[in-house]
Amino acid sequence: MSNDTGRVTASDKVIENIAQMIVSGEVKPGEKILTERAFAEKFKVTRSCVREAIRALALIGMVDIRPGGGTYVADNNSHLPEEPVLWMYHQNLNKFDEIYTARELIETEVYLECFDQMNEEIRSYVLSAREKLLNLNTDIMSGEEMEHILSDIDLNIGKFCGNSIMNKLLQTTLALRKELSINILSLSPSRESAVLYRCKILTALLQDDKEVLKDALKKFFANSEKELNIQK
């Protein structure tokens, strides 16, 4: 894709069109998409242009390229590889405020959508995740261990939210926040705070009032912003 943010390239247009086919359900998870030649004829572009677009979609986890077997729409629950995500955003990884803003928007929406999908399977998982957090000994944990536990909970909530696109976006924010989160969670008070506010979110997720969850999420991110400012 072009580095010129003011110019939309042919590859950008192909990416947008194929992504729309996937998002709209025109082609479903596990289905094979058209060949490079077919897409080139359909969009009146070169095969190299289509190849670049498909590689970009593979990087963000929307399609799986199978050498010698074609390209398929990725499974909704497939996990984005962390390295390509970090590579795509490497120039902006030091822009903590922007990452935080993206986190708040995406993670809030994922938890709210999970609330709308609530069933016995989700309820059981939320209860077990909260129990796990409550039983942690945060005094002896490392920041990396704590970050892994929190990210694992978020990943599962993402799978339960019922929105595959929001799930992919969540995985992106998890990769981007990882290093900063580990640094923040290296402090024992921050680990204690993380357990407190996460448990409040999980408890609110089990309530019948969506406004309770919204309030818990708002307080969580207010505390996260405070931790971020301390880290700076």
Side-chain angles (χ1 to χ4, degrees):
M1 290 185 286
S2 170
N3 288 325
D4 183 357
T5 56
R7 176 170 168 257
V8 178
T9 67
S11 291
D12 292 335
K13 293 179 181 178
V14 175
I15 291 171
E16 182 178 352
N17 278 288
I18 298 177
Q20 182 58 37
M21 292 170 64
I22 295 171
V23 173
S24 68
E26 183 178 341
V27 282
K28 296 178 173 53
E31 289 186 354
K32 188 176 183 179
I33 65 174
L34 297 177
T35 63
E36 290 179 4
R37 176 177 294 177
F39 273 132
E41 293 175 356
K42 179 180 178 69
F43 299 128
K44 301 187 185 329
V45 295
T46 64
R47 289 182 63 178
S48 62
C49 175
V50 174
R51 189 176 303 116
E52 181 181 353
I54 290 175
R55 285 175 178 169
L57 290 169
L59 273 177
I60 60 174
M62 292 194 76
V63 300
D64 293 324
I65 300 174
R66 303 177 188 176
T71 302
Y72 294 77
V73 178
D75 182 271
N76 287 345
N77 291 325
S78 61
H79 192 273
L80 287 179
E82 186 174 296
E83 291 78 9
V85 171
L86 295 176
W87 175 78
M88 285 188 291
Y89 292 94
H90 73 279
Q91 291 181 322
N92 295 308
L93 289 179
N94 62 334
K95 298 181 179 179
F96 298 140
D97 291 336
E98 293 181 9
I99 295 174
Y100 173 82
T101 299
R103 274 195 61 195
E104 183 171 8
L105 289 171
I106 295 167
E107 293 176 34
T108 294
E109 187 60 29
V110 165
Y111 272 84
L112 292 177
E113 293 203 20
C114 186
F115 177 92
D116 292 335
Q117 299 293 324
M118 184 60 65
N119 56 34
E120 285 307 311
E121 181 184 9
I122 298 174
R123 182 176 295 275
S124 177
Y125 172 75
V126 171
L127 285 168
S128 65
R130 184 178 64 178
E131 186 69 18
K132 181 176 182 178
L133 288 176
L134 290 172
N135 287 322
L136 291 177
N137 186 344
T138 57
D139 290 335
I140 62 173
M141 296 183 68
S142 68
E144 188 170 4
E145 289 171 328
M146 190 71 198
E147 190 279 334
H148 178 75
I149 291 171
L150 297 178
S151 289
D152 185 63
I153 291 173
D154 287 338
L155 284 171
N156 280 290
I157 295 298
K159 291 177 183 178
F160 286 131
C161 82
N163 186 322
S164 61
I165 301 303
M166 291 304 299
N167 186 22
K168 297 294 185 185
L169 291 173
L170 173 67
Q171 291 174 32
T172 301
T173 63
L174 293 184
L176 294 177
R177 84 182 193 193
K178 183 175 181 179
E179 184 177 353
L180 177 60
S181 293
I182 290 175
N183 290 337
I184 291 174
L185 294 169
S186 64
L187 303 175
S188 180
S190 294
R191 294 194 293 275
E192 293 175 7
S193 178
V195 169
L196 172 64
Y197 282 95
R198 287 300 183 121
C199 284
K200 287 183 177 180
I201 289 175
L202 294 176
T203 299
L205 194 55
L206 298 170
Q207 306 303 307
D208 294 328
D209 190 344
K210 199 172 186 177
E211 294 302 316
V212 174
L213 177 58
K214 289 181 180 179
D215 183 62
L217 287 163
K218 183 177 180 180
K219 289 177 179 177
F220 166 77
F221 281 107
N223 180 71
S224 296
E225 186 173 17
K226 181 179 70 174
E227 298 279 3
L228 176 64
N229 290 330
I230 291 173
Q231 182 68 24
K232 290 182 192 177

